[in-house]
């Protein structure tokens, strides 16, 4: 008797859901693949499982995403924990990791920086995939975000997946960091490594007054830099559905009046963080490709190769910069 399937079907009817939504939840939360769900009997309907499924049905019916209910999301073949301050990773963003590693031959000690890191899925997925390809776990990982809560989740994901590497977690508002401020924080993280203590920009004497050329000489540059900032316009966010707004924190979504606030700041110095051969991966919205490219186009005269890519859904999504010095 397929009692489990019958139970899911009844729950779906009661809450106005499609049964596939509950099947998806059961597969992830109960580790019960579809092939087993179809034939499972009463043994799969423990009191605990029934309570979990009933609660999930109510939350799904209220518009919650399954990832929020589970507190986890899959990205680039890996599973990462989430909390209320982290964005749910999108499959669209996986193109950043793919292009970061395509035809890439990094040194043995890889340095990765993930800015506006959220759950740290970009930096960690790139590290994990690279470690599998190279058979080399040595790396230095840096995660920067405005939200201390997001960084706490990033640290949990790091400890779960990548503890063989060295990691630093920096709480800072990227929009307020001049180039020397940014480099000062990275140098501070290097000086304190290995340490998982949160580095707070607000508690540090920064270097905004120094000339950039005086400060960059001793800066250890990066092999990979990921930049996936908030990029919705204020109007786009206001016009979005309540379900969309409930799924993710607004702090991780809104990029100013025209959505380009973070890119203007990044274009002023971010490519300078790369070592020769290093790569900067910048995500943007589907309608922002031309505007973002224009902001960074001047770097082509300084030895940077700029390329743009579409995501797996065919939408403009990525500006990739390679430092060819």
């Amino acid at each position: 008797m397929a009692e489990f399937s019958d139970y899911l079907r009844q729950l779906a009817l009661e809450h106005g859901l499609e049964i596939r939504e509950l099947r998806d939840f059961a597969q992830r939360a109960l580790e019960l693949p579809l092939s087993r769900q179809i034939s499972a009997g009463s043994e799969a309907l423990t009191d605990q499982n029934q309570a979990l499924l009933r609660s999930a049905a109510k939350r799904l019916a209220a518009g919650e995403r399954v990832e929020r209910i589970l507190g986890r999301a899959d990205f680039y073949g890996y599973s990462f924990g989430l909390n209320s301050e982290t964005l749910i990773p999108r499959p669209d963003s996986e193109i950043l990791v793919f292009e970061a590693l395509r035809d890439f031959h990094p040194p043995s000690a890889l340095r990765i920086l993930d800015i506006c890191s959220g759950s740290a899925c970009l930096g960690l997925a790139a590290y994990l995939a690279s470690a599998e390809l190279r058979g080399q776990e040595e790396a230095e990982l840096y995660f920067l975000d405005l939200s201390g809560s997001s960084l706490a989740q990033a640290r949990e994901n790091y400890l779960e997946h990548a503890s063989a590497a060295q990691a630093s977690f920096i709480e800072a508002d990227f929009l307020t960091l001049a180039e020397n401020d940014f480099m000062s924080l990275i140098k501070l993280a290097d000086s304190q490594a290995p340490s998982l203590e949160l580095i707070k920009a607000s508690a540090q004497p920064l270097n905004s007054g120094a000339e950039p050329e005086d400060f960059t000489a001793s800066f250890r540059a990066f092999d990979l830099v990921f930049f996936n900032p908030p990029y919705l316009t204020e109007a786009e966010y206001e016009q979005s559905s309540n379900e969309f707004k409930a799924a993710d924190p607004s702090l991780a979504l809104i990029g100013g009046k025209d959505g380009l606030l973070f890119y203007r700041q990044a274009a002023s110095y971010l490519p300078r963080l790369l070592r020769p051969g290093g790569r900067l991966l910048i995500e943007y919205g589907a309608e922002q490709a031309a505007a973002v490219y224009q902001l960074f186009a001047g770097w082509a005269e300084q030895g940077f190769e700029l390329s743009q890519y579409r995501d797996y859904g065919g939408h403009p999504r990525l500006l990739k910069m390679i430092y060819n010095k």
Side-chain angles (χ1 to χ4, degrees), residues 3-5 7-8 41-50 53:
E3 296 179 36
F4 187 81
S5 281
Y7 184 79
L8 290 189
S42 58
E43 76 282 355
L45 291 172
T46 63
D47 290 344
Q48 181 179 356
N49 284 357
Q50 287 188 53
L53 290 166

Side-chain angles (χ1 to χ4, degrees), residues 59 65-71 82-83 86 88 247-249:
R59 294 174 68 177
R65 293 266 303 269
V66 66
E67 293 88 352
R68 284 289 174 217
I69 299 172
L70 292 169
L82 306 174
N83 65 23
T86 56
I88 298 172
D248 289 303

Side-chain angles (χ1 to χ4, degrees), residues 99-114:
E99 284 299 329
L101 300 180
R102 183 166 64 90
D103 299 324
F104 185 50
H105 306 288
S108 57
L110 187 64
R111 280 173 67 86
I112 299 175
L113 171 62
D114 189 347

